[in-house]
Amino acid sequence: MARTIGDQELALLRFVAEQGPISVGEAAARFGVPRGLARSTVLTVMERLRAKKRLTRKRVGSVYLYSSREGTDALLNGVVHSFVEKSLSGSVSPFVAYLSDVERVSESELVELERLVKRLRSKPREG
């Protein structure tokens, strides 16, 4: 799934991953309307994501239901991985520096970050 996706596609893909399976009508009402997007625009974006193999479509009765091929966690992990590889040349240091400057980090996020650091420390090191 190497084909890149834009910001609007990512937002809709994340919505479908969290809410799916979902029809175009439901996505238009719950995702599109609050953002000022017409039903036809939501349909176009969903079909674009299906063409990029990011969404699947299954006919149920008289409507198609769309689902993400991956869960929200895997989706966001892939987005971060792509960003680090493409924008930061694979270096996580600028990303970590950014995190240290973030004004609000919840207690649960700090616990998760500490868990991840422990996991990183347990991995073998490169020479």
Side-chain angles (χ1 to χ4, degrees):
M1 291 189 211
R3 296 178 72 179
T4 59
I5 60 174
D7 292 343
Q8 186 168 292
E9 289 174 322
L10 176 59
L12 183 53
L13 181 57
R14 185 173 180 185
F15 177 82
V16 173
E18 293 169 350
Q19 305 296 317
I22 193 166
S23 70
V24 171
E26 290 174 305
R30 293 173 39 208
F31 176 86
V33 169
R35 291 165 178 78
L37 301 175
R39 183 186 188 284
S40 59
T41 302
V42 173
L43 172 61
T44 298
V45 174
M46 290 174 84
E47 280 299 309
R48 201 178 312 141
L49 288 167
R50 192 169 73 91
K52 292 179 179 183
K53 308 241 185 275
R54 303 304 296 256
L55 291 180
T56 61
R57 181 179 80 173
K58 179 181 178 184
R59 188 176 194 101
V60 177
S62 62
V63 299
Y64 285 107
L65 295 182
Y66 291 77
S67 299
S68 174
R69 290 185 179 265
E70 55 195 347
T72 306
D73 288 345
L75 170 66
L76 294 177
N77 189 30
V79 168
V80 171
H81 174 79
S82 178
F83 171 75
V84 169
E85 290 301 315
K86 291 179 183 173
S87 301
L88 304 177
S89 301
S91 174
V92 296
S93 295
F95 189 69
V96 173
Y98 162 78
L99 289 176
S100 71
D101 289 337
V102 172
E103 299 220 4
R104 294 181 318 188
V105 178
S106 71
E107 187 62 32
S108 63
E109 289 172 319
L110 282 174
V111 168
E112 179 65 9
L113 288 169
E114 288 169 350
R115 185 188 69 75
L116 292 171
V117 168
K118 283 182 184 177
R119 193 169 103 199
L120 283 170
R121 288 192 186 281
S122 70
K123 289 184 177 184
R125 301 279 167 247
E126 291 182 10

